[in-house]
């Protein structure tokens, strides 16, 4: 029986030498069969398992992870959470996710360090302002918070911004979503794992899916480095490895490409920036300050297909020069470490949560570089799709066949080229 975390338990453990803490989640041996298997122990896989147990009473579930949980993108992202989407199919879905984040720490009994510090998109030209005004007005029409900050308000809100010295990209204002923010990514993985484990889900690490077992055209199990495991239903939530797993399952080529995205973090600093700032349009750069004090920098994809979890120097330089152009005070900050993750870039920038053409196989993919914020709603909707064999209202449009039917959900309006999303 897993103990509840509380102020009382901290006090009690503190007074007794912290010797009574139990492992946060169980480490059972893998069984020969399950009702449902989720492949991929990132945030989406763990959230799916949790909601299968909690919302649908399906507890005979295993999450199979080839490495350690949260070792993929779920533990490598820049942790930005927002719901500033404007296209039907995305708007309601991402807002549901933000609403779930708002009570998730309490629900999971795990401090996710969710911090609604706001998300600010800077504008550098009237054209960019008008395009974003359309997006943020549509958000307001959908009941999602959004506001415009003019130059004076902006300078007050983010003193670190260089509003005066800016010549090349003069900042003319910014759009703010105040309810947006950040969370601690590892805590999200651990929180979902712990809560799912408490409800009876088996979390199996170091278990790589290497093939699928088929019977009469239906998938009835998986082959793994820990043996064959049978299951009535199998959900894929493997992010950047989706094309590989889809190939093994016989799904054919999907409208997804694997690209890498990198980020880096500075040495810890005193509080300097208490919101998320995005510099889009002229370049691509986003920055926030972690609770440990590190400045967290992110930017564009590296620009070529790869499964390597490390980034290249040109993008690092690109991000640094964008940072210097709007926050020159960062010039003396030292970078502590840099890393990358592998992105499942869909051709319209929107995800897939759906059944596949193969019986027993379900797909959760196409998160591009924005899937962290989607974690709770993704798990919620994928669990519904697997349990009910039908989509939830919120993922009704997130299907694989939307390209064949001419209904892409092209949020950026850039067209079918992953680099542009
Ligand atoms: C640098 C960076 C910055 C980002 N910034 C943001 C951000 O600010 N905001 C945001 O919303 N999103 C962001 N993202 C995107 C976000 O992290 C991803 O979209 C999201 O984490 C993907 O879902 P996941 O957590 O389930 O993926 P993952 O954590 O990658 O989970 C997939 C898991 O599947 C496992 N797996 C793969 N193959 C197999 C197999 N054969 N058998 C068993 N297991 C397997 C992998 O080991 C991995 O653990 C960023 C990503 C990166 C890399």
């Amino acid at each position: 029986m897993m103990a509840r975390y509380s102020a009382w338990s901290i006090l009690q453990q503190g007074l007794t030498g912290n010797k009574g803490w139990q492992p946060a989640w169980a480490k059972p041996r893998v069984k020969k069969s399950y009702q449902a298997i989720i492949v991929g122990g990132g945030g989406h896989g763990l959230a799916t398992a949790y909601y299968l147990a909690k919302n649908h009473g399906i507890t005979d579930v295993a999450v199979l992870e080839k490495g350690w949980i949260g070792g993929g993108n779920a533990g490598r992202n820049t942790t930005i959470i927002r719901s500033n989407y404007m296209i039907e199919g995305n708007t309601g879905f991402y807002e549901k996710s933000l609403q779930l984040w708002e009570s998730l720490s309490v629900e999971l009994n795990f401090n996710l360090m969710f911090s609604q510090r706001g998300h600010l998109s800077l504008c550098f030209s009237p054209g960019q302002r008008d395009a974003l005004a359309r997006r943020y007005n549509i958000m307001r029409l959908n009941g999602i918070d959004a506001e415009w900050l003019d130059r004076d308000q902006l300078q007050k809100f983010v003193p670190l911004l260089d509003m005066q010295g800016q010549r090349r990209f003069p900042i003319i204002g910014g759009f703010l979503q105040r309810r947006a923010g950040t969370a601690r990514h590892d805590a999200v993985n651990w929180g979902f794992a712990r809560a799912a484990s408490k409800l009876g889900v088996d979390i199996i690490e170091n278990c790589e899916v290497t093939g699928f077992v088929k019977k009469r055209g239906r998938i009835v199990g998986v082959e793994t480095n820990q043996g064959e495991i049978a299951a009535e239903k199998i959900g894929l939530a493997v992010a950047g490895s989706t094309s590989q797993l889809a190939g093994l399952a016989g799904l054919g080529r999907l409208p997804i490409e694997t690209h890498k995205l990198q980020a880096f973090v500075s040495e810890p600093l005193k509080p300097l920036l208490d919101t998320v700032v995005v510099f889009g349009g002229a370049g691509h750069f986003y920055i926030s300050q972690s609770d440990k004090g590190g400045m967290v920098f992110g930017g564009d994809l590296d620009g070529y297909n790869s499964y390597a979890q490390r980034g290249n120097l040109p993008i690092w330089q690109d991000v640094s020069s964008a940072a210097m152009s709007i926050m020159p005070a960062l010039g003396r900050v030292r970078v502590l470490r840099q890393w990358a993750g592998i992105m499942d870039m869909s051709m319209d920038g929107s995800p897939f949560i759906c059944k596949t053409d193969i019986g027993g196989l379900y797909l959760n993919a196409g998160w591009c570089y924005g899937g962290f914020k989607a974690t709770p709603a993704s798990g919620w909707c994928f669990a519904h799709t697997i349990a009910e064999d039908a989509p939830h209202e919120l993922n009704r449009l997130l299907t694989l066949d939307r390209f064949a039917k001419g209904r892409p959900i092209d949020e950026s309006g850039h067209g079918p080229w992953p680099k542009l999303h």
Side-chain angles (χ1 to χ4, degrees):
M1 180 65 187
M2 243 173 247
R4 261 190 78 74
Y5 292 154
S6 64
W8 169 242
S9 65
I10 293 173
L11 183 69
Q12 202 180 23
Q13 292 295 336
L15 292 174
T16 53
N18 281 307
K19 294 203 176 103
W21 294 113
Q22 299 294 316
W25 58 88
K27 301 232 174 191
R29 289 174 75 89
V30 66
K31 295 192 295 186
K32 287 271 170 240
S33 81
Y34 290 90
Q35 193 175 347
I37 283 177
I38 307 298
V39 187
H44 292 239
L46 293 165
T48 304
Y50 168 70
Y51 289 119
L52 270 173
K54 182 185 167 247
N55 292 358
H56 304 279
I58 301 177
T59 56
D60 187 21
V61 177
V63 176
L64 307 182
E65 166 53 49
K66 76 173 175 185
W68 65 95
I69 63 163
N73 298 330
R76 293 166 181 265
N77 62 77
T78 46
T79 80
I80 302 168
I81 293 168
R82 56 187 167 88
S83 66
N84 57 347
Y85 286 76
M86 68 170 186
I87 305 264
E88 190 190 359
N90 281 336
T91 319
F93 173 80
Y94 284 101
E95 176 56 17
K96 167 76 177 178
S97 210
L98 184 50
Q99 287 171 10
L100 288 170
W101 281 110
E102 284 171 331
S103 54
L104 208 53
S105 289
V106 174
E107 176 175 340
L108 299 181
N109 181 225
F110 207 97
N111 185 3
L112 307 181
M113 298 166 78
F114 177 52
S115 155
Q116 291 180 290
R117 59 184 67 181
H119 173 277
L120 182 67
S121 292
L122 299 177
C123 291
F124 300 90
S125 69
Q128 188 192 17
R129 181 197 54 207
D130 294 351
L132 280 180
R134 181 166 165 254
R135 170 186 293 263
Y136 281 76
N137 279 328
I138 291 174
M139 285 163 60
R140 286 174 75 122
L141 288 173
N142 281 300
I144 302 168
D145 68 305
E147 58 193 276
W148 165 253
L149 301 188
D150 63 22
R151 277 176 60 89
D152 291 342
Q153 290 167 313
L154 209 53
Q155 186 70 89
K156 246 196 203 148
F157 190 58
V158 188
L160 188 60
L161 277 177
D162 179 21
M163 307 285 292
Q164 311 310 327
Q166 258 293 352
R167 294 283 175 268
R168 190 154 173 227
F169 301 115
I171 302 168
I172 62 171
F175 287 95
L176 176 66
Q177 185 182 21
R178 278 191 203 270
R179 286 168 56 243
T182 57
R184 167 104 157 88
H185 43 20
D186 292 327
V188 175
N189 299 307
W190 300 333
F192 271 120
R194 182 171 183 270
S197 173
K198 199 171 176 183
L199 293 173
V201 169
D202 283 0
I203 293 161
I204 315 290
E205 292 173 301
N206 302 310
C207 183
E208 178 168 5
V209 171
T210 52
F212 291 85
V213 186
K214 279 192 183 171
K215 226 182 224 170
R216 287 188 285 276
R218 192 181 165 83
I219 288 199
V220 293
V222 289
E223 292 159 9
T224 77
N225 57 352
Q226 299 193 23
E228 206 171 287
I229 311 168
E232 288 165 35
K233 298 183 172 190
I234 294 165
L236 298 184
V238 292
S241 304
T242 299
S243 304
Q244 287 177 323
L245 271 285
L248 290 176
L251 266 181
R253 287 192 66 183
L254 300 182
I256 291 177
E257 277 187 25
T258 297
H259 283 254
K260 54 190 176 151
L261 180 72
Q262 60 174 300
F264 49 95
V265 67
S266 76
E267 59 193 338
L269 304 173
K270 287 190 175 169
L272 191 62
L273 179 67
D274 62 355
T275 188
V276 177
V277 176
V278 179
F279 172 2
H284 193 191
F285 161 60
Y286 34 95
I287 185 166
S288 62
Q289 187 168 20
S290 78
D291 290 330
K292 271 197 286 187
M295 305 303 292
V296 182
F297 297 78
D300 232 328
L301 297 173
D302 275 14
Y304 50 87
N305 303 127
S306 171
Y307 286 99
Q309 289 180 307
R310 59 179 183 274
N312 63 18
L313 282 175
I315 288 290
W316 191 344
Q317 187 178 26
D318 194 53
V319 169
S320 307
S321 54
M324 285 302 291
S325 72
I326 57 169
M327 297 172 176
L330 294 176
R332 296 175 63 193
V333 168
R334 280 175 298 190
V335 169
L336 195 62
R337 60 200 161 83
Q338 174 254 19
W339 64 92
I342 50 175
M343 310 287 83
D344 38 337
M345 300 301 297
S346 68
M347 294 301 115
D348 58 359
S350 297
F352 306 100
I353 304 178
C354 57
K355 291 167 69 170
T356 70
D357 288 342
I358 303 177
L361 186 68
Y362 303 79
L363 180 72
N364 176 314
W367 294 103
C368 300
Y369 44 77
F372 178 66
K373 69 175 98 68
T375 305
S378 165
W380 183 284
C381 292
F382 198 36
H384 180 104
T385 307
I386 294 171
E388 307 289 328
D389 239 349
H392 186 277
E393 175 57 24
L394 291 170
N395 64 310
R396 185 174 53 84
L397 301 175
L398 305 179
T399 58
L400 261 180
D401 65 2
R402 63 177 184 258
F403 294 99
K405 292 186 171 160
R407 292 189 205 126
I409 308 172
D410 190 357
E411 186 72 32
S412 305
H414 285 311
W417 176 238
K419 200 172 168 311
L420 295 175
H421 291 284

